Amino acid sequence: MSSNLSGKVAFVTGGSRGIGRAIAIRLAEDGARIALNFASNSAKAEEVKAAIESSGGEVMLVQGDVSNFAVVTELIKKVVDAWGRLDILVNNAGITRDNLLLKMSEDDFDKVIATNLKGVFNCTKAVTKLMMKQRGGRIVNMSSVVGLKGNISQTNYAAAKAGIIGFTKSAARELASRGVTVNAVAPGLINTDMTAALSEKVKEMMLQEIPAGRMGTPEDVANAVAFLVSDQAAYITGQILSVDGGMAM
């Protein structure tokens, strides 16, 4: 099911690879102009830009660290100055620094929280006034099945992703009266570069927890995001949509 996002401007963080890449391409297919944020991998970002433009879409690359509020503010300003508006924010940027709690460094905890959770705050705060003035907007935050269930060696990642759920519900309550919806997607085991680093033994154990019997694809997640940012989801806010093949049931 395709949504009509013609005339809309979407800011997608962490858009150079994996789930972010799939989201950016899908929203561009639906007609949105894409501001593609990435932290460092300019080569991959250029690949996504080329893929979108080859299909007739419009895309702007906006490099920057979402954990830095001043940087985020400048990126949002750049997009609005160029295109005059911002209708969709997808907070997808994320990192992992996995380790058992006993061995996890303070720095590894802080860095994951700064990017995965504070980055969501930074980007959402930066667009809130604009979307409220427009009396409309769509914000989708990327949580995780780990934020719902927890996971060994991921206390930092799980804390950030669980925090996103609380942030999403609170922001949804604050912004609903101005026509701005805030929802979250909680992917399960998705076939990306991040999960490619897992051993086959670990993947097999995880697959046994998935009723659907397979890993998800980035496109599975992108389809959910495309629905949540569409007009068809105008009466849906404060929700956490699991895209996990039943893993968190």
Side-chain angles (χ1 to χ4, degrees):
M1 180 173 61
S2 179
S3 305
N4 181 11
L5 299 179
S6 297
K8 305 288 188 182
V9 174
F11 188 94
V12 181
T13 72
S16 63
R17 297 186 299 166
I19 290 172
R21 179 184 190 277
I23 291 169
I25 290 173
R26 171 59 196 271
L27 299 189
E29 289 174 351
D30 289 350
R33 287 178 287 183
I34 306 298
L36 188 81
N37 163 258
F38 64 102
S40 59
N41 199 331
S42 57
K44 289 292 185 182
E46 289 288 352
E47 288 179 12
V48 181
K49 183 173 185 287
I52 291 173
E53 290 179 340
S54 68
S55 298
E58 289 186 68
V59 59
M60 171 196 311
L61 298 184
V62 281
Q63 183 175 7
D65 180 359
V66 297
S67 70
N68 186 315
F69 183 70
V71 169
V72 169
T73 301
E74 284 302 310
L75 296 182
I76 297 298
K77 183 177 185 300
K78 180 180 178 180
V79 174
V80 176
D81 285 348
W83 285 336
R85 59 187 301 113
L86 204 158
D87 306 280
I88 297 164
L89 169 64
V90 181
N91 284 309
N92 170 75
I95 62 171
T96 56
R97 296 287 188 275
D98 296 351
N99 213 333
L100 293 171
L101 179 59
L102 281 173
K103 298 180 179 180
M104 183 176 291
S105 70
E106 184 179 4
D107 187 57
D108 284 344
F109 187 88
D110 289 347
K111 283 183 176 177
V112 168
I113 295 297
T115 297
N116 297 17
L117 181 56
K118 186 168 184 285
V120 172
F121 164 80
N122 288 342
C123 294
T124 305
K125 182 174 173 61
V127 306
T128 293
K129 185 178 291 186
L130 174 65
M131 287 187 175
M132 290 176 72
K133 186 177 180 180
Q134 291 175 173
R135 300 198 69 84
R138 300 282 184 269
I139 300 170
V140 178
N141 302 321
M142 203 57 58
S143 182
S144 169
V145 64
V146 173
L148 297 168
K149 296 182 61 176
N151 199 30
I152 293 171
S153 295
Q154 289 193 312
T155 51
N156 50 2
Y157 189 77
K161 295 302 185 179
I164 286 170
I165 291 173
F167 179 93
T168 296
K169 291 178 178 291
S170 298
R173 288 182 179 275
E174 291 187 20
L175 302 178
S177 65
R178 297 299 184 95
V180 180
T181 66
V182 189
N183 293 289
V185 172
L189 185 63
I190 306 297
N191 191 7
T192 65
D193 291 348
M194 193 178 288
T195 55
L198 298 173
S199 69
E200 289 304 315
K201 182 179 179 181
V202 169
K203 287 181 186 176
E204 187 58 38
M205 289 175 59
M206 294 179 76
L207 281 170
Q208 291 176 11
E209 297 182 37
I210 303 174
R214 68 169 177 89
M215 293 179 70
T217 68
E219 288 72 27
D220 288 326
V221 182
N223 289 338
V225 173
F227 168 67
L228 288 173
V229 303
S230 73
D231 289 342
Q232 296 158 354
Y235 199 55
I236 299 173
T237 196
Q239 302 304 304
I240 315 303
L241 178 57
S242 293
V243 182
D244 63 1
M247 189 177 187
M249 275 195 295

